[in-house]
Amino acid sequence: MLFGRKDRKAITIADKQVVEWKYTTCGYCSTGCSIDVGLDAEGKAVATRGTADADVNRGKLCIKGVFEHHLFDSAGRGLAPLMREKTFDPYQKTDWDSALDKTASEIKRIQKTYGRDSFAVVSTGQILTEEFYTLGKLVRGCIGTNNYDGNTTLCMASAVSGYKRSFGSDGPPGCYDDFEHTDCLIAFGSNLPEQHPIIYWRLKEALEKRKFPLIVVDPRVTMLAQFADIHLPITPGTDVVLINSLMYVILDEGLEDRDYINAHTDGIEAVEAAVKGYDPVSAAKVCGIDEDTIRTVARIYAKAGAAMSIWTMGINQSTHGSDGVVNINNLNLITGNIGKPGSTSLSITGQCNAMGTREWSSCSGLPGYRYLENQADRDKIADYWGIDESFFPEKRGLQQTDIFSAIETGEIKGLWLVATNPMTSMPNTSRIRKILEKLEFLVVQDTYGDVETNQYSHVYLPGAVWAEKEGCFTNTERRVNLVRAVVKPKGDSKTDFWIFNQMAKRFSNGEKIHFPETSSEAFQEMAELSKGEGRTLDISGMTHDKIEEARGIQWPFSEDDEGLKGNPRLYTDGHFQTKSGKANLIPVIFKDNNECPDEQYPFWMNSGRVVEHFHSRTKTGKIGNLNKFSPTPYMEMNPDAARDLGVDHQSYVRITSRRGDAVVMVQLTQRVPRNMVFIPFHFHDCVNRVSLGLLDEHSRQPAFKQCAIRIEPIDQALAGQLNAERRTF
Ligand code: SF4
């Protein structure tokens, strides 16, 4: 194919010899783009393209999606199960039965010796919803440990907690179509162009059709902030103060929606009393945004016909992430901006199936947003699975971050990690290393055998990747979409669905509970369990085939719903999932418990994503066309601060916090203020060697975004050598 201007050298794109395109859904972020994978005559995946008639991405993909077919043959794939007696001994190849038998016997040994909860399971946001449901059955119904959670505690726990506190249930109430209807959008700590490029494209398209104010709250001049009408460069960790002050102005000037408040919320008096201490003059001193700007933004938001808020990790990854979410919900509730087109509180999710685990994995309770603490929920699920309800724990156990602390203190002795890499993703790497070394037994189930955490395991189970499997993902806007298996699992790797099913056979309750053989059969179980009872999470009208035909369906979608569109918004009738049916307005008081810069550690360290990488680079670090854009850990630094310290552009420096140190390359830019640096979090032995990760009291999510560091120039030759030894592909 040839294209390009006549007077320029034409660009040639090699013909990939595609003979068949197969439908699937992207396995990176939660945007949920539909993808066609092109296969050549030998059935090898050779290309990807955005699915033209899919509403989410309308034929577009970001750079990660464009090269996603390279995942199937990428380096480091685990091709056979491995076992060893001691960590750091050489691994020996084994067969599946031996690896699964060993794992099951170690789980039983540890539980028998130390108690049922002494073995923990930590999963992911990366596998399919049917796999999550099956894992939940295995853990809640067969293994019976209460210490079971997902790595979504690192990204979405605050959003879940905030939604539950405000609305009585998890579930983002809005959708991308809200961009087409809103009259004002505030983005809190969300850099869409890099984190969720196709959602950003949807926003940009809406803005091109109809201009409305875009307000970005972020301490850094992100790409989104560069496109904003108003950028609020907030002091890190003070969003609660800013939002309280916005509400102060709205209530003080009578700009609230009193009819909506009276009809659909409880608790306005407490919020009115709480925000009294946050007048713009006082708030400005804490959050760093001047009083006039606070008033201006409050007025624009409250006076807009429809206004919406989106947020990502800038809110969630904080010592008060859950409070931040509650306060965004408060802002939208007092202005009547929930459940209407263009009016919403929309958390932009992280991993491709963070929503699937929230909905169906049973991590936080029982499947389908049910609770261990609710007798009717316990009876329903125990009855459906065919086991005694007393087998379930009485209440939710430890969350992921607390599971690691419990290993440290010796309460937990064994751990099963599914598609998660705490050696890179958890705060304070040296602490995590010591914690993993304390385990009597660690089993790592992952697509990649070279994942850093696997160094500490006793058994390695190679999982199939993305579209080697079949099942569903749910995206940010509650759209359930289908991943079709387009190629077979590589080597002797197996689908996670198969691994969980086989493990269930090794436990006595595995005989009683029916474990479907196919993913579509498991989906039908979930659909049946979602029926009726007035729940928002109703998928009873969906099947795999219908989902593919519609290119994704948004829940709730019951068997009585017509067509294939689903329901784009929650709470359209103003009825919430609380006992009273009204939303909770909850006062939020700012607690200043962040680690802040001081004389010894004078810089804020901020972290986040770049477009070419995903999470701990387990996948994107292997794909040359992605990794080449940032193969080396780097740090954005303000040129004035660099001059003060004698640091040059593209030189290496050592960053040090109270936890540890790391070496990064400097990129000078005005995007960050003089007292702050920004480092992409994707690299091993980098950000999390220094991060603090204080936990939110409600969600237990770590505050990755804020800690204090110092910076020192170092010997460049030594640093270059160190970097050459790093794992780059
Ligand atoms: Fe995949 Fe997200 Fe990129 Fe879409 S925006 S192609 S879902 S990584």
Side-chain angles (χ1 to χ4, degrees):
M1 187 196 298
L2 290 172
F3 63 89
R5 286 189 222 148
K6 275 188 194 144
D7 54 349
R8 295 253 178 104
K9 194 177 168 209
I11 300 165
T12 307
I13 296 178
D15 183 351
K16 301 279 180 57
Q17 309 283 327
V18 172
V19 296
E20 184 188 6
W21 291 96
K22 282 196 176 172
Y23 180 81
T24 193
T25 303
C26 179
Y28 284 113
C29 88
S30 68
T31 302
C33 296
S34 294
I35 287 193
D36 299 327
V37 176
L39 303 176
D40 68 10
E42 271 84 54
K44 185 175 155 60
V46 290
T48 44
R49 67 180 186 194
T51 308
D53 59 349
D55 187 54
V56 167
N57 52 315
R58 302 166 189 178
K60 296 193 168 44
L61 294 175
C62 82
I63 189 169
K64 291 188 287 293
V66 165
F67 294 112
E68 204 160 359
H69 58 283
H70 289 300
L71 277 181
F72 301 118
D73 284 324
S74 52
R77 292 279 314 256
L79 303 178
L82 305 172
M83 284 204 301
R84 61 184 165 194
E85 276 311 308
K86 287 206 302 257
T87 47
F88 303 113
D89 279 356
Y91 249 135
Q92 306 296 328
K93 266 193 200 166
T94 188
D95 56 78
W96 275 99
D97 273 339
S98 306
L100 293 168
D101 285 347
K102 171 78 176 169
T103 303
S105 74
E106 281 296 297
I107 294 172
K108 288 175 190 171
R109 178 188 68 77
I110 287 170
Q111 289 189 311
K112 195 168 165 217
T113 315
Y114 306 105
R116 233 167 65 157
D117 295 337
S118 61
F119 189 87
V121 180
V122 173
S123 93
T124 178
Q126 291 289 305
I127 61 176
L128 301 161
T129 309
E130 295 81 351
E131 295 176 330
F132 282 130
Y133 174 63
T134 308
L135 177 62
K137 257 183 177 178
L138 171 65
V139 177
R140 291 275 180 242
C142 298
I143 297 176
T145 175
N146 196 17
N147 292 322
Y148 163 47
D149 199 22
N151 67 7
T152 40
T153 295
L154 305 184
C155 54
M156 296 314 299
S158 294
V160 174
S161 163
Y163 277 142
K164 284 182 178 171
R165 290 166 70 200
S166 297
F167 304 144
S169 172
D170 185 19
C175 58
Y176 308 152
D177 185 56
D178 282 320
F179 300 146
E180 304 281 339
H181 302 279
T182 198
D183 298 308
C184 177
L185 186 145
I186 302 187
F188 292 93
S190 174
N191 183 18
L192 283 181
E194 295 225 49
Q195 296 160 347
H196 301 87
I198 298 299
I199 301 182
Y200 172 65
W201 167 73
R202 292 283 303 266
L203 172 63
K204 198 91 170 102
E205 202 180 49
L207 276 164
E208 276 163 17
K209 284 189 216 154
R210 188 181 50 85
K211 183 71 191 111
F212 53 85
L214 171 63
I215 299 160
V216 173
V217 181
D218 205 302
R220 176 174 165 245
V221 189
T222 60
M223 261 191 228
L224 191 63
Q226 285 177 288
F227 298 125
D229 297 294
I230 304 176
H231 173 214
L232 310 185
I234 191 171
T235 302
T238 62
D239 45 273
V240 159
V241 176
L242 173 67
I243 299 168
N244 273 350
S245 193
L246 294 175
M247 289 197 287
Y248 174 98
V249 175
I250 290 166
L251 292 166
D252 189 52
E253 298 186 4
L255 300 175
E256 74 277 15
D257 185 339
R258 220 16 101 164
D259 290 343
Y260 188 89
I261 293 169
N262 292 339
H264 303 297
T265 70
D266 284 324
I268 184 63
E269 300 78 11
V271 168
E272 280 173 327
V275 302
K276 283 224 161 76
Y278 296 84
D279 64 274
V281 178
S282 312
K285 295 190 179 99
V286 183
C287 71
I289 307 301
D290 69 83
E291 56 178 297
D292 285 339
T293 304
I294 293 174
R295 287 196 192 93
T296 302
V297 169
R299 288 168 191 154
I300 293 173
Y301 201 78
K303 289 179 182 174
M308 66 185 287
S309 315
I310 62 169
W311 73 93
T312 323
M313 297 311 142
I315 293 289
N316 292 345
Q317 290 178 337
S318 158
T319 51
H320 51 267
S322 173
D323 279 353
V325 174
V326 161
N327 233 12
I328 291 173
N329 295 338
N330 285 341
L331 175 68
N332 286 315
L333 287 166
I334 69 162
T335 52
N337 279 308
I338 293 287
K340 293 181 264 181
S343 299
T344 194
S345 272
L346 184 62
S347 65
I348 309 287
T349 318
Q351 303 181 66
C352 55
N353 206 17
M355 281 298 294
T357 187
R358 283 153 67 168
E359 295 157 8
W360 290 103
S361 73
S362 307
C363 276
S364 61
L366 291 166
Y369 288 157
R370 288 181 174 86
Y371 295 98
L372 285 162
E373 297 81 1
N374 179 312
Q375 193 57 48
D377 289 348
R378 298 169 66 89
D379 292 340
K380 168 91 186 181
I381 298 300
D383 190 44
Y384 192 82
W385 287 353
I387 58 170
D388 195 314
E389 69 73 35
S390 64
F391 189 78
F392 295 143
E394 281 169 15
K395 56 181 187 176
R396 182 186 182 163
L398 298 174
Q399 284 166 267
Q400 186 217 7
T401 40
D402 292 317
I403 284 174
F404 285 92
S405 305
I407 298 169
E408 193 170 39
T409 54
E411 290 157 69
I412 290 175
K413 305 284 188 187
L415 178 65
W416 184 355
L417 294 173
V418 181
T420 187
N421 186 17
M423 274 302 295
T424 299
S425 60
M426 285 284 286
N428 199 345
T429 310
S430 58
R431 176 175 174 238
I432 296 299
R433 177 176 293 114
K434 283 187 208 141
I435 288 173
L436 293 177
E437 283 173 353
K438 285 191 83 167
L439 285 164
E440 287 186 16
F441 180 73
L442 172 65
V443 51
V444 167
Q445 178 172 331
D446 202 289
T447 294
Y448 293 95
D450 64 356
V451 69
E452 289 87 10
T453 306
N454 204 20
Q455 292 168 17
Y456 301 87
S457 67
H458 301 85
V459 172
Y460 166 67
L461 307 175
V465 77
W466 174 50
E468 291 173 348
K469 310 188 289 182
E470 188 138 318
C472 293
F473 289 155
T474 307
N475 77 351
T476 286
E477 54 170 2
R478 290 168 288 99
R479 186 183 298 271
V480 180
N481 208 345
L482 193 67
V483 177
R484 284 279 186 214
V486 299
V487 294
K488 289 204 169 65
K490 193 174 167 81
D492 198 18
S493 65
K494 300 284 185 192
T495 67
D496 300 283
F497 188 75
W498 182 90
I499 297 169
F500 301 143
N501 270 355
Q502 296 306 310
M503 188 61 81
K505 290 181 183 164
R506 288 158 169 85
F507 289 83
S508 57
N509 274 2
E511 306 279 310
K512 297 183 195 162
I513 303 176
H514 173 61
F515 279 81
E517 290 293 316
T518 66
S519 168
S520 62
E521 218 191 305
F523 188 87
Q524 281 317 302
E525 272 197 18
M526 289 152 41
E528 238 178 89
L529 280 173
S530 76
K531 257 185 223 171
E533 299 175 35
R535 320 176 157 271
T536 51
L537 175 51
D538 188 336
I539 57 168
S540 60
M542 299 184 197
T543 62
H544 277 187
D545 288 342
K546 279 190 193 173
I547 293 166
E548 179 175 353
E549 188 187 337
R551 284 24 185 148
I553 302 174
Q554 285 166 283
W555 62 256
F557 185 69
S558 81
E559 51 194 351
D560 302 326
D561 278 315
E562 286 174 7
L564 286 177
K565 256 193 85 57
N567 288 287
R569 294 175 189 88
L570 300 181
Y571 314 127
T572 50
D573 57 359
H575 184 88
F576 294 85
Q577 298 279 302
T578 55
K579 277 201 184 114
S580 66
K582 292 184 174 186
N584 298 315
L585 283 166
I586 302 167
V588 171
I589 304 297
F590 176 60
K591 269 189 235 147
D592 193 2
N593 58 351
N594 286 324
E595 183 178 67
C596 294
D598 56 19
E599 261 182 38
Q600 222 186 337
Y601 299 97
F603 290 89
W604 285 106
M605 189 190 78
N606 184 1
S607 65
R609 255 196 231 172
V610 293
V611 68
E612 60 272 17
H613 281 307
F614 191 76
H615 284 202
S616 64
R617 284 167 76 242
T618 317
K619 294 198 273 191
T620 52
K622 314 286 176 41
I623 295 179
N625 277 329
L626 300 179
N627 196 48
K628 69 184 180 190
F629 292 106
S630 53
T632 304
Y634 71 90
M635 171 177 92
E636 290 183 357
M637 186 179 188
N638 184 285
D640 295 334
R643 197 180 320 114
D644 291 348
L645 290 177
V647 166
D648 294 327
H649 183 56
Q650 292 188 343
S651 67
Y652 291 101
V653 293
R654 180 190 308 282
I655 57 169
T656 309
S657 75
R658 292 178 178 86
R659 273 74 53 196
D661 64 349
V663 172
V664 290
M665 182 185 272
V666 170
Q667 186 180 90
L668 296 184
T669 170
Q670 300 283 358
R671 277 188 180 194
V672 281
R674 201 171 180 145
N675 66 342
M676 182 186 294
V677 298
F678 171 85
I679 308 179
F681 65 55
H682 310 284
F683 299 93
H684 180 61
D685 270 346
C686 188
V687 162
N688 284 326
R689 283 172 65 99
V690 297
S691 61
L692 169 60
L694 271 184
L695 301 180
D696 176 279
E697 65 176 301
H698 297 278
S699 69
R700 313 305 289 157
Q701 181 158 352
F704 284 107
K705 294 279 181 187
Q706 299 111 30
C707 77
I709 61 163
R710 65 168 180 263
I711 299 167
E712 299 154 82
I714 52 168
D715 183 307
Q716 297 303 295
L718 248 179
Q721 195 184 330
L722 184 103
N723 240 357
E725 285 164 14
R726 278 179 196 276
R727 192 193 69 168
T728 52
F729 297 87

